[in-house]
Amino acid sequence: MSSDPIQSSIYLTVVGPESVIQSLGSLEGIEDVTLGEAQPLDGLADAADAPLGPDELKLLLEFITVGLGLGAATLKFIEAMLSLLKKSEKTPAHEIIILDAHTNQEILRIDENTNAVNAAQQLNAWSANEK
């Protein structure tokens, strides 16, 4: 396996409630996690061609691009997002959607009942298929 950081990282777009996305800055301390700047979702909605209607956009969803090293960083990142989601105010669209940053194809959805280990395995399996 290559030790090249480009080859061992995946790039994701994370969509979720504004309070959760804004709090992702606290994840900067997790090794192999790189965060972009949070943005309002309205600019991504058309590009993603995602099943998001105008009512969901009004719930102040935001997105952020994340560079994520494979392995332990994946599980730590998902556990941290679950923790932030559980602490945030409940909204009708109270979940996090993880998209491929290159294609905007949905990879998985995370809500309060998500098993972090299973979600990390799903993300790692997707990454293995993409490489």
Side-chain angles (χ1 to χ4, degrees):
M1 183 167 196
S2 172
S3 61
D4 181 359
I6 299 295
Q7 294 297 320
S8 60
S9 296
I10 55 176
Y11 296 91
L12 308 168
T13 300
V14 179
V15 180
E18 179 183 32
S19 61
V20 174
I21 300 302
Q22 291 294 324
S23 297
L24 286 178
S26 65
L27 304 184
E28 286 284 359
I30 297 177
E31 188 174 344
D32 294 330
V33 174
T34 306
L35 301 171
E37 187 175 330
Q39 302 287 326
L41 183 62
D42 57 354
L44 177 68
D46 291 333
D49 195 23
L52 299 174
D55 292 336
E56 290 174 299
L57 292 178
K58 292 177 185 174
L59 295 173
L60 298 176
L61 296 178
E62 289 193 344
F63 75 96
I64 191 167
T65 302
V66 177
L68 184 62
L70 299 177
T74 306
L75 180 58
K76 288 179 184 176
F77 179 69
I78 290 175
E79 288 174 336
M81 284 194 305
L82 274 169
S83 175
L84 291 171
L85 188 62
K86 289 177 182 178
K87 293 177 190 174
S88 69
E89 181 182 343
K90 308 297 182 268
T91 63
H94 197 69
E95 64 184 353
I96 296 170
I97 304 167
I98 298 179
L99 308 168
D100 179 332
H102 301 292
T103 66
N104 286 327
Q105 178 181 12
E106 184 177 317
I107 301 168
L108 72 115
R109 289 177 181 249
I110 296 174
D111 64 22
E112 291 183 352
N113 300 314
T114 298
N115 178 295
V117 172
N118 291 344
Q121 289 173 344
Q122 184 178 347
L123 195 54
N124 285 327
W126 166 83
S127 175
N129 289 334
E130 291 299 306
K131 296 211 178 263

